[in-house]
């Protein structure tokens, strides 16, 4: 091969020379690699240029205004709160306890709501300004927690039913001075059964007819004890109720009531001059275990609730010493979810029933259910309920560590019913004007609540 020219190459290729076939393959591979490398770079640069060009021509998005930001935040907050919507009757949610709340009671002077909890504290919430954070005073109850509590009329003494120790604890209390001082625990040795209820009765030193000062404790067996404030055992009673479920003193200290597995409430006359308990009368009418019983504020009525699915209100303003029997005033059915509770409003017109996490309101006049709040405490079981001294609100406590304050809407509705009846029977313009003002005031409260 004299000359390596393009024509010669073609000639050799046409002949199928192995040498030129190999050279051709190598040259083709080199050209392919170079073309791939430089071609891809050019293509990439071209795409980037087009993207940059498009980005330059596209206008920047407008920054959100303060109004738009506020609207977005409000929408987000609304979405979060929608999962925690409360019933329109709920006025206040009281938080602070770090354990299940076991009992709540309004102090005898009507100024505080007392609450005891498994967090081993007792708290006093000022009813005058219950929404304020500083309205609560907290005391520790030692190394044990209380399941029940009661107070002297002047709020200077307190008795607690201790869970682990199975004893009573008597303490000196000064809420304003923030003093809670344990004075004595009784009895010296722990009881063989759990203490489920306690009470305190302080006699009037200027009235010999007022009886004696004593403490009451009830156990979950059939034991009911009366002790002096020094711990001396004054009386010991076998209630013969199968087992006790609850026990309570009447507000005037005249009676001790205890209910249990047997479908009746036994009411004892309180001891006088350190005497013995004497049975006054029984409240029957139920066909199964009675969970709970409560006296009205004036001790003229007693409300009961049973496993048989009924609640009842009894007139106990009777001549029991002449064998008079309690008179049934109202009775209704409820949805029993176990260990239910009952409370009667101070004006005797509304019955509140708590079962599980639900609260229901009933009319004493008609025995009909007026309203139910199915998830009053959605995260816990209700352990205690109590009406405000004026009847405007209902308190509820539960194992969810909270206390809730509810507007007694049925109470206002029933008040309007009776006021309108009084208005029709009024004989003077002055009476009608006064009653009309009361009706308008009650209607305004309902309107403000949204009912």
């Amino acid at each position: 091969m004299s000359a390596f020219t393009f024509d010669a190459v073609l000639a050799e290729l046409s002949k199928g020379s192995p040498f030129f076939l190999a050279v051709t393959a190598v040259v083709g591979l080199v050209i392919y690699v170079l073309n791939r490398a430089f071609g891809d770079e050019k293509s990439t640069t071209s795409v980037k240029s087009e993207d940059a060009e498009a980005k330059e021509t596209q206008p920047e998005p407008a920054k959100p205004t303060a109004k738009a930001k506020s609207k977005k935040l409000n929408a987000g907050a609304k979405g979060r709160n929608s999962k925690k919507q409360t019933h329109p009757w709920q006025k206040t949610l009281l938080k602070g306890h770090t354990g299940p709340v076991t009992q709540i009671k309004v102090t005898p002077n009507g100024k505080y709501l007392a609450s005891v909890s498994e967090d081993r504290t007792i708290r006093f919430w000022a009813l005058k300004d219950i929404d304020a954070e500083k309205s609560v005073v907290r005391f520790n109850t030692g190394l044990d927690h209380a399941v029940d509590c009661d107070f002297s009329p002047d709020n200077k003494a307190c008795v607690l039913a201790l869970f682990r120790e199975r004893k009573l604890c008597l303490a000196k209390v000064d809420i304003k001075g923030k003093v809670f001082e344990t004075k004595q625990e009784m009895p010296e040795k722990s009881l063989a059964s759990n203490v489920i209820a306690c009470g305190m009765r302080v006699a009037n030193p200027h009235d010999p007819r007022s009886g004696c000062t004593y403490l009451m404790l009830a156990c979950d067996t059939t034991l009911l004890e009366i002790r002096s404030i020094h711990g001396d055992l004054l009386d010991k009673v076998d209630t013969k109720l199968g087992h006790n479920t609850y026990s309570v003193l009447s507000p005037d200290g005249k009676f001790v009531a205890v209910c249990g597995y047997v479908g009746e409430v036994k009411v004892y006359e309180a001891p006088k001059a350190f005497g013995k308990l004497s049975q006054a009368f029984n409240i029957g009418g139920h066909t199964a275990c009675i969970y709970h019983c409560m006296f009205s504020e004036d001790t003229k009525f007693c409300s009961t609730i049973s496993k048989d699915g009924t609640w009842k209100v009894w007139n106990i303003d009777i001549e029991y010493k002449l064998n008079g029997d309690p008179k049934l005033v109202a009775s209704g059915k409820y949805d029993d979810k176990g260990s239910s509770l009952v409370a009667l409003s101070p004006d005797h017109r509304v019955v509140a029933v708590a079962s599980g996490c639900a609260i229901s309101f009933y009319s004493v006049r008609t025995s009909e259910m007026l309203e139910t709040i199915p998830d009053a405490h959605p995260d816990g079981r209700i352990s205690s309920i109590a009406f405000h001294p004026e009847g405007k609100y209902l308190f509820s406590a539960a194992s969810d560590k909270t206390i809730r304050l509810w507007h007694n809407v049925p109470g206002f509705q029933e008040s309007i019913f009776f006021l309108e009846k009084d208005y029709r029977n009024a004989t003077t313009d002055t009476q009608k004007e006064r009653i009309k003002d009361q009706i308008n005031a009650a209607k305004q409260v309902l309107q403000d609540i949204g009912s």
Side-chain angles (χ1 to χ4, degrees), residues 210-392:
S210 65
C212 66
T213 298
Y214 65 88
L215 303 176
M216 177 274 293
L217 71 84
C219 294
D220 59 1
T221 54
T222 59
L223 177 64
L224 178 66
E225 286 189 356
I226 302 296
R227 292 182 174 269
S228 72
I229 57 173
H230 303 293
D232 300 323
L233 182 63
L234 302 179
D235 199 6
K236 184 177 180 180
V237 174
D238 180 0
T239 62
K240 302 185 187 306
L241 291 173
H243 63 81
N244 304 328
T245 53
Y246 191 66
S247 184
V248 63
L249 299 185
S250 61
D252 59 4
K254 186 178 180 180
F255 298 116
V256 180
V258 59
C259 55
Y261 183 76
V262 177
E264 66 178 3
V265 177
K266 291 191 175 183
V267 181
Y268 298 88
E269 189 176 13
K272 296 180 180 180
F274 300 103
K276 303 290 185 179
L277 286 174
S278 59
Q279 190 161 346
F281 54 89
N282 291 342
I283 300 176
H286 289 288
T287 59
C289 169
I290 297 179
Y291 294 128
H292 192 233
C293 62
M294 285 297 293
F295 290 102
S296 62
E297 289 299 316
D298 55 8
T299 318
K300 291 184 178 180
F301 297 88
C302 183
S303 52
T304 59
I305 191 164
S306 170
K307 190 177 181 180
D308 63 11
T310 65
W311 59 263
K312 299 180 186 293
V313 176
W314 305 85
N315 183 348
I316 58 172
D317 189 17
I318 56 175
E319 294 290 342
Y320 61 90
K321 291 185 178 180
L322 299 177
N323 298 322
D325 293 323
K327 299 175 183 177
L328 182 62
V329 175
S331 178
K333 295 182 179 180
Y334 76 100
D335 183 14
D336 177 30
K337 296 176 183 177
S339 301
S340 302
L341 307 168
V342 65
L344 181 65
S345 63
D347 59 7
H348 316 142
R349 292 174 179 172
V350 175
V351 171
V353 169
S355 190
C357 64
I359 295 176
S360 300
F361 295 85
Y362 296 83
S363 168
V364 174
R365 175 175 55 90
T366 64
S367 297
E368 295 179 355
M369 187 176 70
L370 302 175
E371 179 67 25
T372 185
I373 307 173
D375 292 317
H377 286 263
D379 300 322
R381 187 178 189 86
I382 299 174
S383 55
S384 184
I385 56 174
F387 274 100
H388 186 278
E390 297 177 4
K392 298 186 296 184

Side-chain angles (χ1 to χ4, degrees), residues 41-76:
E41 182 178 354
K42 183 178 179 181
S43 177
T44 304
T45 305
S46 176
V47 171
K48 287 183 178 179
S49 299
E50 290 175 3
D51 289 345
E53 194 173 314
K55 189 174 182 180
E56 289 177 359
T57 58
Q58 185 178 358
E60 293 184 2
K63 294 183 178 180
T65 62
K67 185 176 181 180
K69 286 182 179 179
S70 175
K71 187 175 181 181
K72 184 177 181 180
L73 289 174
N74 290 338

Side-chain angles (χ1 to χ4, degrees), residues 33-43:
V33 172
L34 292 176
N35 182 59
R36 182 66 183 267
F38 290 100
D40 286 355
E41 182 178 354
K42 183 178 179 181
S43 177

